[in-house]
Amino acid sequence: MRPWTNGSRPDVVRGIQTAESNGWLSNTDPAPERERALVELAAWVLSGGSLSLLRDQGARISVVLDAGREDAFAAIAATAGLDYQLVHDDDSNRATEARPTEGGSVLARILHAMGVPAGEKSMDEPTALPSFVHNLDADDRGAFAHVYVKNRATTYENKDTLTLQEKRPTSYLEDLTVLLRTVTGESVTRNENRITVSAAAARELLDEPPDLRDRYGDTDGSA
């Protein structure tokens, strides 16, 4: 009780207040665009980042920003009400990372509660996509898939198909395959740890969702 008697608030209370003020909790009835931004952030952590829950460092997320993806992340972060700093952006030998600052620990715990696993990508691999993904409406599922594919897919100069290759359990990759097929209504297949996205499906997945396009314009080379 001492923090209360001294006029301050316990960390857990401050965390709840931060989440509520940013519209990150369902009981605050967040705007649809903010909910979608949280979905996109979850997709970004799963496809190109990590979430850690460490006793000595607290909860935190870090995401990789490949070349041409900075504006897309900036738009999503702004919609989510998230401040962040860039790390290694002046080091040509290391990937640029975005690490949330104010409220970052709270957001990390919320994403973890949504189903985003903690640990580096090579550790504690999830066996399926977070269950919330399957409960999203069509537009939000499309936004999730778009971010995931833009971060993970390999493109080719001489063909329009895409491939995604990850060292994750086959059950996770099959779940992802089904999601991409459902979102696009086109052919998406899996062979071992390699997912092949047909040209028709690729066009659907690479096209910017209208709300994201409105937020920052088509600046990352989408087809």
Side-chain angles (χ1 to χ4, degrees):
M1 292 295 293
R2 184 175 297 276
W4 290 98
T5 58
N6 290 341
S8 61
R9 297 179 177 85
D11 289 344
V12 65
V13 175
R14 289 201 301 271
I16 292 173
Q17 290 175 331
T18 296
E20 289 180 337
S21 65
N22 282 287
W24 295 341
L25 297 179
S26 58
N27 65 353
T28 60
D29 193 23
E33 60 269 18
R34 184 144 295 192
E35 286 188 293
R36 183 165 299 172
L38 290 180
V39 168
E40 292 167 328
L41 287 172
W44 210 303
V45 173
L46 280 166
S47 60
S50 62
L51 188 157
S52 60
L53 300 174
L54 304 175
R55 288 185 178 181
D56 57 337
Q57 300 180 30
R60 64 180 183 180
I61 61 173
S62 177
V63 301
V64 173
L65 303 182
D66 290 332
R69 296 291 284 148
E70 297 89 346
D71 287 346
F73 184 80
I76 293 169
T79 304
L82 178 67
D83 293 324
Y84 65 93
Q85 63 181 358
L86 296 180
V87 182
H88 310 312
D89 55 318
D90 57 353
D91 186 346
S92 60
N93 296 316
R94 302 185 67 175
T96 298
E97 295 181 27
R99 295 179 182 174
T101 51
E102 186 72 22
S105 178
V106 176
L107 178 63
R109 294 188 182 280
I110 288 174
L111 293 180
H112 185 57
M114 289 170 61
V116 177
E120 300 295 332
K121 275 182 58 60
S122 59
M123 300 170 58
D124 303 322
E125 293 290 8
T127 58
L129 291 172
S131 60
F132 81 87
V133 176
H134 303 291
N135 297 324
L136 297 171
D137 63 27
D139 288 340
D140 283 351
R141 280 200 308 271
F144 180 96
H146 172 81
V147 169
Y148 203 108
V149 167
K150 290 291 289 186
N151 284 338
R152 295 296 306 175
T154 298
T155 59
Y156 302 93
E157 291 185 359
N158 58 346
K159 57 183 179 180
D160 294 331
T161 57
L162 305 173
T163 58
L164 291 81
Q165 192 155 344
E166 299 191 57
K167 293 181 179 179
R168 279 181 158 161
T170 56
S171 56
Y172 178 97
L173 297 175
E174 185 62 26
D175 211 16
L176 179 59
T177 301
V178 171
L179 173 73
L180 300 183
R181 188 184 301 139
T182 300
V183 166
T184 63
E186 303 290 350
S187 175
V188 181
T189 58
R190 181 185 65 83
N191 182 14
E192 298 298 333
N193 65 338
R194 183 186 182 95
I195 296 173
T196 301
V197 180
S198 67
R203 285 190 288 272
E204 293 287 332
L205 291 166
L206 293 180
D207 189 31
E208 299 289 358
D211 70 310
L212 186 58
R213 194 161 55 234
D214 290 344
R215 279 183 263 166
Y216 71 95
D218 185 8
T219 61
D220 66 344
S222 295

